[in-house]
Structures are given as structure tokens and as C-alpha cells.
Amino acid sequence: MKTTTKIIIGLIAATYMIILIVSTTSLKAPTKYFQTSTRGILKTPNITAIQAFVSLFQYSDDSQGYIVELIPDDKTNEVTIDYPSEVLDVKMKGSILDILTGHELAKFKAENKDYEIVENRAKQTEAEEDATSDICTSNVIVRIKLPRAMLLKLLADARSLNLNGGVLQLDNLSLDTFDFQRDLYLSLNHCNFKQATISVGSQTLYLSHTHIGNLTFYGKKDHDTYSETSISEEEGTMIDHLLLKTTVDMTLQYSCYKSIEVQPLGHEPVDIHLRGVKGYCKLK
């Protein structure tokens, strides 16, 4: 076979491969965008429990990456549930609120189709499109406005909040005494407590614009998942006195505490790390 003939055959084969690759690529379904800015409203006269299983990440079946925000509102006698309707489904079973992965999103996950969760597709910048993370879950928030007395009943019942992998956020709540002992991510935003006892298991306590007079906080380790309790203090947080009862090492933002006591609960010593120490500091 002549060299020219071989070259021509090679070019034809290469052209065919390019056409095949381009055709295959063009047949790929476009990425589906689920917007958290598209909201739905559900109203109900009463809630006695909340249970949630929300799986948002494409290659994980775990429930995680969402926030349930409870907002006390004594100007109303009903419950208003504001949720991202393209991402989540919510429904009432009697007085129990169910929060689930949205039907269409769950179908995309099951069929292994490409999707992204964004706040608002129209406002998404090129920089966000080029980001390595396909999923933005920081705005997957269910906001629940309810009478203060109803909120306190939810918090008082140890079986009322079953949020698998989710964060419970309490907004604008003021109490003389706050007692919270659940294996649950907890976020306190613009809260004020004179006395608080908090145990979140091996999860994280988030504090923002919150004042607590005397806080007793428990730290522990989950030996199955190897996760450990932590505290994340954000802007506006102030604790007058912290009694830390812990079996694990902890890191604290020094400026957020006026005084700190540590009581190790296990047989081993614990390390306490202080961030942001400025000026004179007497530790013992």
C-alpha cells in the first residue's frame, strides 16, 4: 500500500473518531440547576415534631448540608414553613413535619444525572460556575416561624427533632435558662441566655451574635465516626463564664470568653487551645 494511501486512510479514521467524540459529547444532557431562591410556603396550625432526611450531594446518600431555622413569632397563632421548593419537599403527617429531598432532585441522583444546587441561576457569576464544588448547600434553609410557646415545647421534647445530618438554628431566642442535650448540630443566632447547659454530642455548636451568662458545655468523641465536639464562635459572641466538661481537646476563641473553667471527664488529660489571645492573659 502506498504511503499516500495510508495517510489518507489515517486521516479518514481520525476524522471519524473526532466526529464520534463530538457527537457523543453533544448528546450528553445539560446540567440541571436547582435554585434555593425559589421558595414554597406551607402553613399549619401546629407542629409537635420535625423529622428530616435530605440527601443533596450527587455521589453520597448521606443526609447532610441543610439548615432548619426556628424563629419565634408571637404575632402569629399558626406555623409558617418557608422552604426551597426546587430542592426540598415538605409535608405534614398530622402534627409532624417531614422534610425530604425534592422529588425531581432525588430522581436526578438516582439516575446519576449532572445537577447543581445554586442560590439563583440568573445571578450566578462565571467565577461560581468555574468553582470546583458542584453543590452549594449553604442556602438550603427551611425557615419555620412559630409561636414562642410552641418552639419551647419542641425543644423540651427529646424525641421531637430528628434532623439527620442537618443543623438546627435558633434565632432571636431569649431565656433565663436554656437546656439542650441532643446529638445534633446547633446554631444560636442573636440569642440571649442567662444560664445554659448544652451538649451536642460529637457535633458542633455555632455561636453568632449570642450572649450567654453562664454556659456549661460538654465535649465528647464518637468512636464510630471519629468525630469530636467543637465550638465555632462568630462575630458578636460573648460568654461571661464557660464551664467546659470534656473528654476531648477543644479550641476556643479567647476574646469570646470572660472566664473559663475546664473539667476533664475522662481518664486522659485534655488540651485546650486558645485562639486570638491579645494583651495580658492570666491562665492560672
Side-chain angles (χ1 to χ4, degrees):
M1 185 180 293
K2 294 182 179 180
T3 302
T4 305
T5 304
K6 291 180 179 179
I7 292 173
I8 293 172
I9 293 174
L11 289 172
I12 292 172
T15 303
Y16 174 77
M17 289 300 296
I18 291 171
I19 292 172
L20 182 62
I21 292 170
V22 171
S23 299
T24 303
T25 303
S26 63
L27 289 173
K28 184 180 178 181
T31 299
K32 169 70 175 179
Y33 293 91
F34 295 93
Q35 301 182 112
T36 60
S37 59
T38 303
R39 313 293 295 185
I41 298 291
L42 175 65
K43 294 193 175 186
T44 183
N46 186 36
I47 284 182
T48 58
I50 302 172
Q51 54 189 22
F53 192 93
V54 177
S55 181
L56 301 174
F57 295 93
Q58 191 160 10
Y59 301 109
S60 172
D61 292 329
D62 293 340
S63 177
Q64 56 187 320
Y66 65 97
I67 298 170
V68 175
E69 182 179 0
L70 299 181
I71 307 167
D73 184 2
D74 281 335
K75 294 179 181 179
T76 181
N77 57 3
E78 64 179 358
V79 181
T80 301
I81 303 155
D82 178 337
Y83 64 99
S85 56
E86 290 188 6
V87 179
L88 304 177
D89 285 341
V90 302
K91 57 184 177 180
M92 296 299 301
K93 291 182 178 178
S95 61
I96 299 174
L97 173 63
D98 269 356
I99 304 172
L100 302 168
T101 311
H103 176 74
E104 188 177 6
L105 192 152
K107 184 178 179 181
F108 266 71
K109 278 177 59 69
E111 296 176 356
N112 201 27
K113 293 181 179 178
D114 289 336
Y115 65 88
E116 291 185 26
I117 297 175
V118 298
E119 183 176 4
N120 189 316
R121 174 60 178 161
K123 295 180 179 180
Q124 189 181 30
T125 66
E126 291 182 3
E128 288 173 330
E129 289 180 349
D130 293 337
T132 55
S133 176
D134 291 334
I135 305 293
C136 176
T137 61
S138 60
N139 292 306
V140 181
I141 303 173
V142 180
R143 296 184 177 92
I144 304 175
K145 285 188 177 183
L146 69 171
R148 187 172 182 273
M150 194 181 300
L151 188 157
L152 295 179
K153 283 184 179 180
L154 278 174
L155 295 177
D157 185 349
R159 300 170 297 176
S160 66
L161 297 169
N162 185 14
L163 310 182
N164 291 283
V167 177
L168 174 66
Q169 179 169 313
L170 302 179
D171 278 9
N172 298 298
L173 184 62
S174 295
L175 296 168
D176 287 340
T177 303
F178 177 70
D179 190 345
F180 185 93
Q181 299 186 47
R182 314 276 183 93
D183 192 354
L184 186 65
Y185 293 99
L186 176 66
S187 175
L188 300 177
N189 183 42
H190 289 90
C191 291
N192 193 334
F193 308 130
K194 291 182 179 179
Q195 186 90 21
T197 300
I198 298 176
S199 173
V200 292
S202 59
Q203 312 302 339
T204 300
L205 171 65
Y206 302 94
L207 299 169
S208 176
H209 295 93
T210 286
H211 174 257
I212 301 176
N214 293 293
L215 170 61
T216 300
F217 184 72
Y218 290 84
K220 63 176 288 188
K221 179 177 181 178
D222 187 318
H223 294 283
D224 293 329
T225 63
Y226 301 102
S227 60
E228 294 182 354
T229 309
S230 61
I231 300 179
S232 175
E233 310 95 334
E234 299 179 17
E235 183 180 358
T237 295
M238 179 53 63
I239 311 298
D240 294 339
H241 178 74
L242 170 66
L243 173 56
L244 181 58
K245 298 184 176 184
T246 180
T247 61
V248 297
D249 301 343
M250 298 284 291
T251 299
L252 305 171
Q253 181 66 38
Y254 175 75
S255 62
C256 293
Y257 303 89
K258 291 183 178 180
S259 68
I260 300 171
E261 287 184 77
V262 179
Q263 180 181 337
L265 294 180
H267 299 294
E268 300 295 327
V270 296
D271 294 337
I272 307 301
H273 304 272
L274 299 178
R275 298 190 311 267
V277 177
K278 294 181 180 180
Y280 176 75
C281 172
K282 184 177 180 179
L283 296 180
K284 291 187 71 177

